[in-house]
Structures are given as structure tokens and as C-alpha cells.
Amino acid sequence: MKNKNKNKTCGRKIVTALVAISSVLVMASSALGQETSAPAVDPMSAFKTDKGLISLTKVAPELTPVSDYTGDFRSRATLFGDPGGWRSRLYDYGLTLDAQLTQVYQGVVSGGSAKGKGHGQYNGLFEANLTFDTAKAGLWSGGLFIFTEQTSFGHPLKSQPGNLSPVNQTALWPESYKDSSVLMEYFLMQALPFNTVAMVGRLDPSNYLDLNSFACNSDNQFLNVSINSNPLFGRFLTYSTYAALFMTKVTEDFTLAYGAWTPNSQPGDYGGDWNDYGAAIYPIFKYEAFNHPGMVQAIAAYSSKNAVDVDNPRFVPGAIAGNPPTKSNNWIVELSGEQYFWEPEGASVPRAKGGRKEDFHVPTKDFVQDRPGLGIFYRFSYTPEDRSAYSIYLSGGVGGRGVIPGRPYDRFGVGSYWVKESNDFKKQPIVATALQDEVGVEAFYNFAVTPWMQLSLDAQWISPGIRSSDDAWVLGTRLNIRF
């Protein structure tokens, strides 16, 4: 049986997935060189298998969707738990198999497009995850294979709100607004020397870039694409592409991420499109202000592909039509961050050491990344005006978990976004007559019925970027179940 407090081996609580991985795997990557000349007291002994190999899922249990399947029906992390102990045994042998189902029902209650008023729509997204730890399997240190399959079904809201930014991000996986089943990820994560971690293969870059603790997960945080992520990145990244990403921990508070990918490879196209390339550099700075954690990150990305918005999956298909002029060699910069300003007492202290009776820890990746407390998030991005119909993106808001006493797993958020129309593209008749700036506001409350079942209520107000649409109100509900 695994110790639930292993997730805290990296020291302070984890703020985002990217910093989490680089912070904890630095111990594994640096220790690779110690295997032939280990000191008398080996600081990595707790993370080694009986063959002396360093296991990533021992160093960082949060690298798998679930790290502990034990517990009773109401307190455990998964619906099915650990029948007969077989899931725990597989975990100890290096193999995990997890799944979740997210279901969304949304309706336009006023405004939007003429055909959108009063319409409600339902869709679902099923995701299966498999991981294989090479050290636990007795092969080599510091390796973890990751596989992700996604299946979508139903009829999500699309053009009914009359907006640019999709009001339901779950509708974009695996293929936007299509019933489909796709193997989205199959890659190797490997700890390397020089405090570096590499991820090579087919992956979803949105799982590792442009993240924060309050607005990056449509399973249980915001639903609108432009609050969870930067919609302008849709010109640079798909949700399933061949890539090589690296993270190097330079200092305790500074991590440098960088990598390259194939920007035209589409989900379901397993051969990929290798005609163009994209690249990015991504420094991440952690700090403390007034005794509470914060983070600032900057992203600079480049793509050689043609810069058009008509095939941007992070905008509603067909929202930007016509044939605007295009240029290659597109680039984008973003500055984003987060700052906690309140944390519940005892949230980071195990109950055995005097913590509060509410157990804030759940052994799943999403709960570890979304630490208890209250804070703000923000994103600002710019791309050249002669390469995109929308050149400026701004979003921000407030979010938190465990704010209400006795409800340690509940989450909430209030956020807004603004995408600004490019001045250059306003000169194009098709753009000037059809498009304008778009502003949206969203609020949600995620009620944890149990740690494995979460029900959300969601409300969005949108001043659409489609000129022919009225200001829209969209209400919805979401149910996420982890099996």
C-alpha cells in the first residue's frame, strides 16, 4: 500500500503540472549518475526499485492520473477502487490503467445567433490513460511511457452562442465537434542528466504549456476555451502532434522548458504532417509574495506554417471565413502567471502531524496540481497583426479550492477574456463586416460529491465577436467521473 504523502517529496506544494514534473524529476535525473558510486546513505533510496533503478512514479506519483486506489467508497480517488488489490499490484509492477468520463449539458438562454436561442445540447468525452514505468518493470531508470485515448460523442453547443471562442472545451477533443475515437498520445518521458526531463513522441502540448493552477482543466475548472487557455495558440499547436519537449531545472525557482513539434499534424493522422515545424522556449519563475506562492511564465513560440485563422481549432469552426491574406513565419509571445493570497490552515500538513481533520490531499494528478487556497491568474498574449484576424488576447480571474469549511475538494472560479481584432485585418472587407472584438465572462462552482465524482454548475456571458450575434447567456452543468 502506498503512502499518500509521497506527493510532497518535492518540498513545497505543486503549482502547475510543468513545474511539478521538472521539480520532482530533478532528483531522479541528477541521481542517474550516482548509481555506480552511491554514497553510504543514498538520498534516492526511497525512489529506487529492488534492482536499484530509479522509478519516476516513486519520485512523483502525480505523473500518473491516480497514484493510490485504496479507500472506502466515499473517500477513494476512483469509483471502482482497488478490487482484490489488483490495481495496487499493477501499480507496483509499473502499470496503470485509468479512465474518466466528462459529460456536459449547456444551453443558450438568451441572445446568441438567431438559431441558438433556447437550445440545449449534450456531449461526452471519455478518456483512457495507460502508463508504464520502465524502472518498476526492471528495464532502466527514469523512464515512463504514457498513452492517452479519447472518445467523444453527442452534440455540443457550437455556433448557437454566436461567438468565436468555444463555450465548451471538451468538444474540441479528440477532433473538434466530431464523434470520434483517437489515440492522442504515445510518448516516452525520460529523466536525463543535467536536471533535464525529455518527452518525445506523439503528445498533446496543451498538457504541458500555458498552464496555471486555476484555469487549465476543462474537466473540473472553466469550460470556455479562452479562459482555460490561449486561443491564439491554435495557430501553432494541435491537440495531438509529434514533438520533443524538454524541461531543465536551472535553480530551485527557475525552470526552462523548450521544444519543437509538427504544427500541421492532426489528431487521427498517425503519419503526421512534417512539412512545417514549430518551436518554443518557456521560462518559468516561482516566487513567494507575502508568504504565499506565485509563478510567472513567459512563452515565445514560432511556426513556419501559413498564418491563417480559418483552421484554428480553438475558435468555433466557420466563425472566421473568407480568404484573408496569409504569411508564413508566424510568432507569438505570452506572459502569464498566478498568485495565491490565502491558503487554508493545515492544508499542506498531514493529519498525523497536526493538520486539520479535513484531508485536502487526493492521490490524483488534478488535485495535486490544484492546491488548496485562493488566488488569481492572468494571461496576456500578442501575435503580429498582419498574420491573424485576432492579434491580442487577455484573460484573468480568481479561483480556488477548499475555500468553504468542510468542503476541501470543491473548486470555483470567476474569469474573463478579451480577444482583440487585428487592425490590419479590419481592412479586409470580409473581416470588417463580419467580425469584432469578443469579450466573455464565466463563473463556475465544482461540487465534489466524492473525490471521484464532481458536479459543476457553469454560467457564461459573451459579447460575441460575430457582428450578427447578440450578447449571449449560456448556462450549463458538467459531471466528471473517474473510474
Side-chain angles (χ1 to χ4, degrees), residues 43-73:
M44 299 300 296
S45 60
F47 309 122
K48 288 185 177 181
T49 68
D50 55 4
K51 294 184 178 181
L53 302 176
I54 297 172
S55 162
L56 293 194
T57 57
K58 283 178 174 286
V59 175
E62 63 273 14
L63 291 178
T64 63
V66 181
S67 56
D68 191 340
Y69 301 96
T70 61
D72 60 37
F73 184 76

Side-chain angles (χ1 to χ4, degrees), residues 75-401:
S75 65
R76 64 194 183 207
T78 61
L79 170 61
F80 296 143
D82 192 22
W86 68 267
R87 296 181 88 174
S88 291
R89 287 194 294 272
L90 287 176
Y91 183 91
D92 291 337
Y93 290 136
L95 186 67
T96 70
L97 179 60
D98 301 290
Q100 67 170 2
L101 175 64
T102 304
Q103 301 173 86
V104 177
Y105 182 82
Q106 285 180 306
V108 180
V109 296
S110 69
S113 65
K115 64 179 180 180
K117 297 177 182 178
H119 282 242
Q121 301 283 1
Y122 164 85
N123 77 291
L125 177 65
F126 176 83
E127 179 175 297
N129 309 101
L130 185 147
T131 67
F132 178 70
D133 187 315
T134 62
K136 288 182 177 178
L139 299 177
W140 69 83
S141 284
L144 184 69
F145 286 98
I146 297 175
F147 302 85
T148 302
E149 187 276 340
Q150 293 178 327
T151 298
S152 59
F153 57 90
H155 302 281
L157 281 183
K158 185 177 178 182
S159 59
Q160 294 93 333
N163 59 315
L164 295 167
S165 178
V167 295
N168 177 6
Q169 190 170 11
T170 67
L172 305 189
W173 288 293
E175 298 177 90
S176 299
Y177 300 98
K178 293 181 181 179
D179 290 351
S180 58
S181 183
V182 175
L183 181 60
M184 297 287 281
E185 293 185 310
Y186 37 96
F187 67 95
L188 171 66
M189 179 181 294
Q190 179 66 49
L192 302 173
F194 306 109
N195 299 344
T196 297
V197 178
M199 292 172 286
V200 180
R202 189 72 179 252
L203 53 84
D204 181 352
S206 64
N207 289 331
Y208 305 97
L209 301 175
D210 191 33
L211 299 180
N212 66 66
S213 299
F214 305 109
C216 68
N217 190 339
S218 60
D219 298 333
N220 44 55
Q221 294 178 330
F222 294 97
L223 276 170
N224 194 292
V225 168
S226 291
I227 302 182
N228 269 332
S229 62
N230 182 345
L232 303 184
F233 273 126
R235 297 304 316 118
F236 297 82
L237 300 162
T238 69
Y239 287 117
S240 178
T241 183
Y242 289 106
L245 302 181
F246 302 87
M247 289 165 287
T248 299
K249 187 176 177 66
V250 181
T251 69
E252 181 63 29
D253 297 321
F254 173 39
T255 299
L256 183 64
Y258 45 98
W261 59 87
T262 58
N264 290 316
S265 295
Q266 297 297 324
D269 176 13
Y270 298 112
D273 185 331
W274 301 84
N275 292 321
D276 289 289
Y277 67 93
I281 187 169
Y282 183 17
I284 307 159
F285 302 89
K286 295 190 299 181
Y287 65 90
E288 284 200 358
F290 308 105
N291 294 320
H292 295 295
M295 180 176 63
V296 175
Q297 47 202 337
I299 304 176
Y302 166 86
S303 174
S304 64
K305 66 176 290 191
N306 283 337
V308 294
D309 281 310
V310 293
D311 64 342
N312 184 344
R314 303 193 193 194
F315 284 147
V316 173
I320 301 176
N323 187 27
T326 66
K327 293 185 178 182
S328 59
N329 305 316
N330 199 12
W331 57 268
I332 188 171
V333 292
E334 178 185 280
L335 180 68
S336 62
E338 63 180 55
Q339 174 63 59
Y340 278 82
F341 52 83
W342 176 82
E343 296 168 276
E345 182 181 356
S348 61
V349 180
R351 284 182 293 177
K353 295 184 178 181
R356 294 173 50 161
K357 66 178 181 179
E358 296 97 345
D359 187 357
F360 288 88
H361 174 68
V362 178
T364 62
K365 180 186 296 186
D366 62 326
F367 272 111
V368 171
Q369 294 166 4
D370 188 2
R371 57 183 288 164
L374 185 67
I376 61 172
F377 66 94
Y378 55 89
R379 291 184 177 101
F380 172 78
S381 182
Y382 175 81
T383 191
E385 296 195 61
D386 61 350
R387 288 166 170 79
S388 177
Y390 287 84
S391 58
I392 293 178
Y393 158 75
L394 179 66
S395 73
V398 61
R401 174 164 85 89

